[in-house]
Structures are given as C-alpha cells and as structure tokens.
Amino acid sequence: MIKLVFLGRLVDLAGGGEIDIAIAGPTPLEDLLLGLPAPLAEPLADPRVKLALNGRLVPRESLVVEAGDELAFLPPVSGG
Amino acid sequence: MIKLVFLGRLVDLAGGGEIDIAIAGPTPLEDLLLGLPAPLAEPLADPRVKLALNGRLVPRESLVVEAGDELAFLPPVSGG
Amino acid sequence: MTAHVRLLLAPFDPARETSEFTLRYPEAGGVVSFLGQVRAGGGCEALELSHYEPLTLPGMEGLAASALTRWQLDGLLIIHRAGVMLPGEPIVLVAAAARHRRDAFAAADFAMDHLKSESWFWKREKAGGQWRWIEPREEDRQDLSRWA
Amino acid sequence: MTAHVRLLLAPFDPARETSEFTLRYPEAGGVVSFLGQVRAGGGCEALELSHYEPLTLPGMEGLAASALTRWQLDGLLIIHRAGVMLPGEPIVLVAAAARHRRDAFAAADFAMDHLKSESWFWKREKAGGQWRWIEPREEDRQDLSRWA
C-alpha cells in the first residue's frame, strides 16, 4: 500500500484528500498514474504539480515509490 | 507687546518658551532682533530657523510685526 | 534575533499577538506589522485554507530564517491561519521589530510577498453558496521578483 | 478613505488603537502598522517631544491627506505623542488599511518618513541625567528623497 495525498483542486478530482492504493513492489510514477482514472491521472501528470515523497519535495523524473510511502501532489499554491 | 515663541534648543537660549516684548508700532524683524541679547539674536537670525507669524509660516524677507502678533522661531526639526 | 512562527487552526487575536511580540523587544525602535483578513462586503462568505503538514510550517520557518539573515531584526513574528475563516477574521499576521524602521518595513513586506506566493497553502472561497478554488496570480510572481 | 489624526499629550495603547482602527475597515484586505517606541537599554532615560500647537497637528493632517490622494486606502491612522516619554513608551503609531497590501505598506512607510523628517516636533533626550537636543539627521533627508 502507498498513500496518495491531494491538495487544492486535486482533492475535488480525487474525491478526497487521501487514497491508499496497493502496489506490487517498487513502482515508477508513470505506472502508478496509469492505474488511476484518467480524469485524475491527467492533471496529476501536469509538471506544474509538484511532488513530495514522505514529506520532502522530489523531482518527477525517474521517481519510484515503494510500499509505505506517502506521495503528495501539490498543485500551484493560490495567490494572495 | 508681541509674543515671541521659541522651540527646540532656542528655548534654552531664550531661557523659556515664550517672551513678551514691547514694540513701538510696526517693527521689521531686523529691528526686533537688535533689541534682543546677542547670544539669542544670533541664532534667531540663522536662515535655517523658520518663522511662523500668528500660526502661519512666513518668509523672513521684509517681515514686519505688529502689536498683538505671535512670532514663533522654529529651528530644524529633530531627526528620527 | 528570534523568529516566532506559528500555523494555527483556530482564530487568533492579532492585537494581543502584536502587543505581546512588541513587549519582547523594548530595545527595538520600531515594529512594523501586517494583518491580512478575510475581506467583508465583496460577496465572499468564507475562505478555506488547506495546508500540507510536512511542508507548510517548515516552509514558513525557512522564510523567517531567510528574512532574519537579510535584515537587521530584533525579532520576527509570522502567524498564519489554516482552516475555514469568515469575513473579518484574521488570516495572517507578520510583525518585524528592528532598531531601524527601514529594516522592519522591508522584512515585513518581504515576508508577505513570499507567504502569499510561495507558501504551501491552497485557498478556496465560498460565494453564492459555492466553493471555488483560487488560482495563482501573475501579480504574486511579480511581487516576488522585487526581492530577487 | 478617512484619515484619523491625533496628537496626544498622554500615553496611549497602540494595540487598542490598531484593533479599533482595523475594526472600522472590514472591507480592507490588509492593515500595515508602524509603532515607534522609546528604545530601552541604549542609555536613554527619557525622551521629550515639544511641538508648536498652530503647526504640528495641521501638518500631520496635511500629511495624511497627501497619503490618501497618493495611494488607494480605506483608512489611515496617525497618532503622535508629545511631552515626556519613558523607555518602552509608544511615540508614534501609523496604520494604513487598504484593499491591496502594497498600498498599505507604501502609505505607512511614506507617512513615517515624513513624520520623522518634516513634522513639527523637537526632541530632546535625557541620558546620564542630562538633557540633550536631538539634531536633524542627513539620513532623514535621504529617506524623504525616496518619495520625490
């Protein structure tokens, strides 16, 4: 299992702030997104959405998640 | 009689914030200063000291005071 | 030279916070504060700020640390709300105490520009009974470029 | 768009003044305030500000009016003490309420620069039991030139 966390408008698309999903071993980000419904997977693939793995910002490139990880999807923050 | 008002360090030189002095009719500023002790008259003649006649700023040039007037001597204001 | 940074989930009293902060710094000549509140009268019924625990407060702490190295400050206070707020409720309070007022003004201004455009908050606004997400603004990016 | 300008001869509570001011402007998004106080710990035992009744308050009112025409403000508060003040006591409070925080910051900054260098106050400071007049500073003239 890994925990996906959604912020901002992604919460509405995901139908909630968190989803637990099962993975079979280390999983590249691309494969993870393939397992999600398209209306959610597409906005998550937007490079303006930053990623935090276990509470730290990480680059998208060659990201691999493992069981027990928390992966947060952070859309651009709102303005003033 | 006219009232002279002193502000800032001029108060120390004048020995107080206000002096009433007698004048005989309309009196030019230069004549007024001549009637004061030199250690006070000199700093009052400094062009950096602004003048207010009856509560309004006035230029030094050709200033004439009359009985009943209040003439204030305003040295540069203190900084922050 | 101390930072006081807090992320609150319940309303706070900006007057009390500012005066407690000021009392800590009697040697400061000046204290500049900024209070941001939910605007009343513009049709906004409520504002909700969500945050991401592992990033939001650490980000605010990093911002405070960077302001403290950049200006000569006696102290810096940053308080930010998360959760649902009603019109008139405080959202953010920044206060900077410094010997020289120019430093206090600059630090508070800097902190606000960065809080507004870079800190990890997502906002939605309720108007006419409908919640609507607030998008990033170009203006905020311009504000940031003042400090580059 | 209202100015509240006062010259006080007795101590005041800046937290109360700022919060009363803020409550008047619920439609303002932000309120910037500056509080100047007598510095503690620098050897200053007391500060005395003298003013000239016919000029000082009218001058402050003119300054407030000019800030109101220059920036988009909901309200502007200027409170200045005269008389003898002890370390830690407030000297001056400026608060600006505006829809956009940039206006509030600029107006408060502008008001302080002008109050410090142009308003009709003469200051003396007591240290080691001796009163000493405070002279104009070149720095203040430079501050003013920012707004020319």
Side-chain angles (χ1 to χ4, degrees), chain C residues 75-148:
Chain C
L76 182 66
L77 173 71
I78 299 180
I79 299 179
H80 211 298
R81 269 295 309 276
V84 175
M85 284 152 274
L86 300 177
E89 272 186 50
I91 306 167
V92 57
L93 175 67
V94 166
R99 183 168 173 83
H100 300 292
R101 73 177 182 285
R102 186 76 54 238
D103 287 327
F105 268 109
D109 196 3
F110 169 89
M112 280 310 307
D113 276 354
H114 285 77
L115 280 171
K116 286 279 185 174
S117 54
E118 278 198 336
S119 60
W120 296 106
F121 288 104
W122 294 268
K123 300 178 192 169
R124 50 179 201 156
E125 194 179 53
K126 192 177 179 183
Q130 299 285 329
W131 285 102
R132 184 184 63 80
W133 290 98
I134 299 175
E135 296 300 319
R137 303 182 314 162
E138 177 50 34
E139 208 176 322
D140 295 310
R141 257 182 297 273
Q142 288 166 11
D143 286 346
L144 265 197
S145 69
R146 299 169 63 218
W147 309 100

Side-chain angles (χ1 to χ4, degrees), chain D residues 50-64:
Chain D
S50 46
H51 69 290
Y52 182 49
E53 195 77 42
L55 293 182
T56 308
L57 183 59
M60 290 164 59
E61 287 165 342
L63 171 60

Side-chain angles (χ1 to χ4, degrees), chain B residues 5 7-9 11-12 50 52 55-57 70 72 74-80, chain D residues 50-52 54-55 116-124 133-137 140:
Chain B
V5 176
L7 277 302
R9 63 164 62 251
V11 175
D12 294 351
K50 303 294 177 203
R56 286 165 177 270
L57 291 170
E70 172 171 314
L74 313 162
V77 297
S78 312
Chain D
S50 46
H51 69 290
Y52 182 49
L55 293 182
K116 287 279 186 175
S117 54
E118 279 199 336
S119 59
W120 296 106
F121 290 105
W122 295 269
K123 300 178 192 168
R124 52 179 201 157
W133 290 99
I134 300 175
E135 297 299 319
R137 304 182 313 163
D140 295 310

Side-chain angles (χ1 to χ4, degrees), chain A residues 5 7-9 11-12 50 52 55-57 70 72 74-80, chain C residues 50-52 54-55 116-124 133-137 140:
Chain A
V5 176
L7 277 304
R9 63 164 62 252
V11 175
D12 294 350
K50 305 292 179 205
R56 286 164 178 269
L57 290 170
E70 171 171 314
L74 313 162
V77 297
S78 311
Chain C
S50 46
H51 69 290
Y52 183 50
L55 293 182
K116 286 279 185 174
S117 54
E118 278 198 336
S119 60
W120 296 106
F121 288 104
W122 294 268
K123 300 178 192 169
R124 50 179 201 156
W133 290 98
I134 299 175
E135 296 300 319
R137 303 182 314 162
D140 295 310

Side-chain angles (χ1 to χ4, degrees), chain B:
Chain B
M1 291 289 247
I2 79 157
K3 183 195 282 185
L4 304 185
V5 176
F6 304 103
L7 277 302
R9 63 164 62 251
L10 299 176
V11 175
D12 294 351
L13 299 173
E18 293 183 7
I19 303 180
D20 286 323
I21 57 172
I23 54 170
T27 307
L29 176 64
E30 297 78 33
D31 296 354
L32 192 75
L33 296 183
L34 283 177
L36 297 174
L40 177 57
E42 268 172 38
L44 296 186
D46 183 335
R48 283 172 303 174
V49 173
K50 303 294 177 203
L51 304 180
L53 183 64
N54 301 321
R56 286 165 177 270
L57 291 170
V58 288
R60 271 174 183 273
E61 291 74 50
S62 62
L63 181 65
V64 175
V65 295
E66 297 184 25
D69 281 349
E70 172 171 314
L71 180 63
F73 293 89
L74 313 162
V77 297
S78 312

Side-chain angles (χ1 to χ4, degrees), chain C residues 9-123:
Chain C
L9 301 177
F12 66 100
D13 177 354
R16 213 195 59 189
E17 298 291 346
T18 308
S19 80
E20 281 179 12
F21 174 76
T22 301
L23 280 173
R24 286 170 183 260
Y25 301 103
E27 75 284 7
V31 177
V32 170
S33 74
F34 176 84
L35 169 67
Q37 57 189 5
V38 183
R39 278 190 200 106
C44 167
E45 291 150 18
L47 184 71
E48 185 184 37
L49 268 69
S50 46
H51 69 290
Y52 183 50
E53 195 78 40
L55 293 182
T56 309
L57 183 59
M60 290 164 59
E61 287 166 343
L63 171 60
S66 129
L68 284 173
T69 61
R70 196 154 171 168
W71 290 281
Q72 194 104 30
L73 302 177
D74 292 310
L76 182 66
L77 173 71
I78 299 180
I79 299 179
H80 211 298
R81 269 295 309 276
V84 175
M85 284 152 274
L86 300 177
E89 272 186 50
I91 306 167
V92 57
L93 175 67
V94 166
R99 183 168 173 83
H100 300 292
R101 73 177 182 285
R102 186 76 54 238
D103 287 327
F105 268 109
D109 196 3
F110 169 89
M112 280 310 307
D113 276 354
H114 285 77
L115 280 171
K116 286 279 185 174
S117 54
E118 278 198 336
S119 60
W120 296 106
F121 288 104
W122 294 268
K123 300 178 192 169

